[in-house]
Short mmCIF file of all heavy atoms in Angstrom, two decimals:
data_model
loop_
_atom_site.label_atom_id
_atom_site.label_comp_id
_atom_site.label_asym_id
_atom_site.label_seq_id
_atom_site.Cartn_x
_atom_site.Cartn_y
_atom_site.Cartn_z
N THR A 677 211.31 -62.56 3.60
CA THR A 677 209.92 -62.33 3.96
C THR A 677 209.57 -63.03 5.20
O THR A 677 208.82 -62.31 6.13
CB THR A 677 208.87 -62.73 2.81
OG1 THR A 677 209.34 -62.20 1.62
CG2 THR A 677 207.47 -62.31 3.15
N GLU A 683 210.38 -61.12 12.79
CA GLU A 683 210.83 -59.90 13.50
C GLU A 683 209.67 -58.98 13.94
O GLU A 683 209.63 -58.54 15.02
CB GLU A 683 211.83 -59.13 12.66
CG GLU A 683 213.26 -59.81 12.57
CD GLU A 683 214.15 -58.98 11.71
OE1 GLU A 683 214.07 -57.83 11.58
OE2 GLU A 683 215.11 -59.52 11.28
N GLU A 687 208.54 -58.09 17.71
CA GLU A 687 208.42 -56.76 18.05
C GLU A 687 207.03 -56.46 18.69
O GLU A 687 206.93 -55.86 19.70
CB GLU A 687 208.70 -55.73 16.96
CG GLU A 687 208.56 -54.30 17.27
CD GLU A 687 209.72 -53.71 18.23
OE1 GLU A 687 210.51 -54.50 18.59
OE2 GLU A 687 209.53 -52.58 18.53
N LEU A 706 196.87 -47.19 40.93
CA LEU A 706 195.46 -46.69 41.11
C LEU A 706 194.92 -47.31 42.46
O LEU A 706 194.16 -46.51 43.15
CB LEU A 706 194.60 -47.25 39.90
CG LEU A 706 194.88 -46.47 38.59
CD1 LEU A 706 194.05 -47.15 37.51
CD2 LEU A 706 194.60 -44.96 38.67
N ALA A 709 196.40 -45.25 45.33
CA ALA A 709 195.89 -43.89 45.41
C ALA A 709 194.35 -43.96 45.59
O ALA A 709 193.79 -42.83 45.66
CB ALA A 709 196.21 -43.24 44.09
N GLY A 713 189.68 -46.32 37.72
CA GLY A 713 190.06 -46.19 36.23
C GLY A 713 190.29 -47.52 35.59
O GLY A 713 190.75 -48.48 36.29
N MET A 717 195.18 -50.83 26.64
CA MET A 717 196.40 -51.08 26.17
C MET A 717 196.30 -51.23 24.60
O MET A 717 195.31 -51.86 24.09
CB MET A 717 197.17 -52.33 26.59
CG MET A 717 197.45 -52.38 28.10
SD MET A 717 198.29 -53.78 28.66
CE MET A 717 196.95 -54.98 28.25
N VAL A 726 199.40 -46.98 26.58
CA VAL A 726 198.58 -47.35 27.65
C VAL A 726 197.80 -46.10 28.05
O VAL A 726 198.34 -45.10 28.25
CB VAL A 726 199.48 -47.97 28.70
CG1 VAL A 726 198.49 -48.29 29.96
CG2 VAL A 726 200.30 -49.03 28.34
N ILE A 728 194.74 -44.61 30.77
CA ILE A 728 193.83 -44.82 31.98
C ILE A 728 192.65 -43.95 31.72
O ILE A 728 192.67 -42.82 31.43
CB ILE A 728 194.54 -44.26 33.32
CG1 ILE A 728 195.85 -45.05 33.52
CG2 ILE A 728 193.62 -44.39 34.33
CD1 ILE A 728 196.72 -44.52 34.68
N ILE A 729 191.47 -44.71 31.67
CA ILE A 729 190.24 -44.05 31.38
C ILE A 729 189.25 -44.37 32.54
O ILE A 729 189.39 -45.22 33.27
CB ILE A 729 189.72 -44.57 30.02
CG1 ILE A 729 189.65 -46.14 30.04
CG2 ILE A 729 190.51 -44.04 28.77
CD1 ILE A 729 189.03 -46.79 28.75
N SER A 734 185.93 -37.99 35.18
CA SER A 734 187.30 -38.25 35.29
C SER A 734 188.04 -37.22 36.23
O SER A 734 189.23 -37.05 36.12
CB SER A 734 188.00 -38.24 33.89
OG SER A 734 187.76 -37.00 33.25
N LEU A 748 201.43 -36.33 34.63
CA LEU A 748 201.35 -37.41 33.53
C LEU A 748 202.74 -37.65 33.01
O LEU A 748 203.09 -38.84 32.86
CB LEU A 748 200.42 -36.83 32.40
CG LEU A 748 200.37 -37.80 31.25
CD1 LEU A 748 199.84 -39.22 31.56
CD2 LEU A 748 199.33 -37.24 30.16
N LEU A 771 201.91 -42.98 27.68
CA LEU A 771 200.90 -43.03 28.61
C LEU A 771 199.88 -41.91 28.44
O LEU A 771 200.41 -40.80 28.16
CB LEU A 771 201.40 -43.06 29.97
CG LEU A 771 200.33 -43.01 31.14
CD1 LEU A 771 199.46 -44.31 31.19
CD2 LEU A 771 201.06 -42.89 32.54
N LEU A 784 198.05 -29.60 19.00
CA LEU A 784 199.43 -29.46 18.46
C LEU A 784 199.52 -29.66 17.00
O LEU A 784 200.31 -28.93 16.27
CB LEU A 784 200.36 -30.35 19.19
CG LEU A 784 200.75 -30.00 20.69
CD1 LEU A 784 201.33 -31.19 21.39
CD2 LEU A 784 201.51 -28.77 20.76
N SER A 798 204.72 -16.23 4.60
CA SER A 798 205.58 -15.15 4.97
C SER A 798 207.05 -15.45 4.31
O SER A 798 207.75 -14.48 4.02
CB SER A 798 205.85 -14.98 6.40
OG SER A 798 206.55 -16.07 6.97
N PHE A 810 207.37 -34.81 23.47
CA PHE A 810 206.20 -35.29 22.94
C PHE A 810 205.56 -34.16 22.01
O PHE A 810 205.18 -34.44 20.90
CB PHE A 810 205.28 -35.67 24.00
CG PHE A 810 203.83 -35.81 23.57
CD1 PHE A 810 203.33 -36.94 22.78
CD2 PHE A 810 202.87 -34.97 23.93
CE1 PHE A 810 202.07 -37.07 22.40
CE2 PHE A 810 201.57 -35.05 23.45
CZ PHE A 810 201.22 -36.10 22.73
N GLN A 834 213.92 -25.19 27.45
CA GLN A 834 213.63 -24.17 26.43
C GLN A 834 213.61 -24.57 25.06
O GLN A 834 213.70 -23.71 24.14
CB GLN A 834 214.47 -22.87 26.74
CG GLN A 834 214.32 -22.26 28.11
CD GLN A 834 212.79 -21.76 28.34
OE1 GLN A 834 212.19 -21.13 27.49
NE2 GLN A 834 212.28 -22.13 29.46
N ARG A 836 212.65 -25.64 21.37
CA ARG A 836 211.46 -25.23 20.61
C ARG A 836 211.52 -25.62 19.12
O ARG A 836 212.56 -26.05 18.75
CB ARG A 836 211.27 -23.69 20.71
CG ARG A 836 212.32 -22.93 19.88
CD ARG A 836 212.29 -21.40 19.94
NE ARG A 836 212.62 -20.96 21.26
CZ ARG A 836 211.69 -20.12 21.96
NH1 ARG A 836 210.59 -19.79 21.46
NH2 ARG A 836 212.11 -19.75 23.11
#
Side-chain angles (χ1 to χ4, degrees):
T677 306
E683 285 179 24
E687 179 69 4
L706 290 173
M717 295 180 301
V726 179
I728 302 174
I729 52 179
S734 58
L748 175 57
L771 176 64
L784 290 165
S798 71
F810 162 76
Q834 297 300 314
R836 68 182 71 237

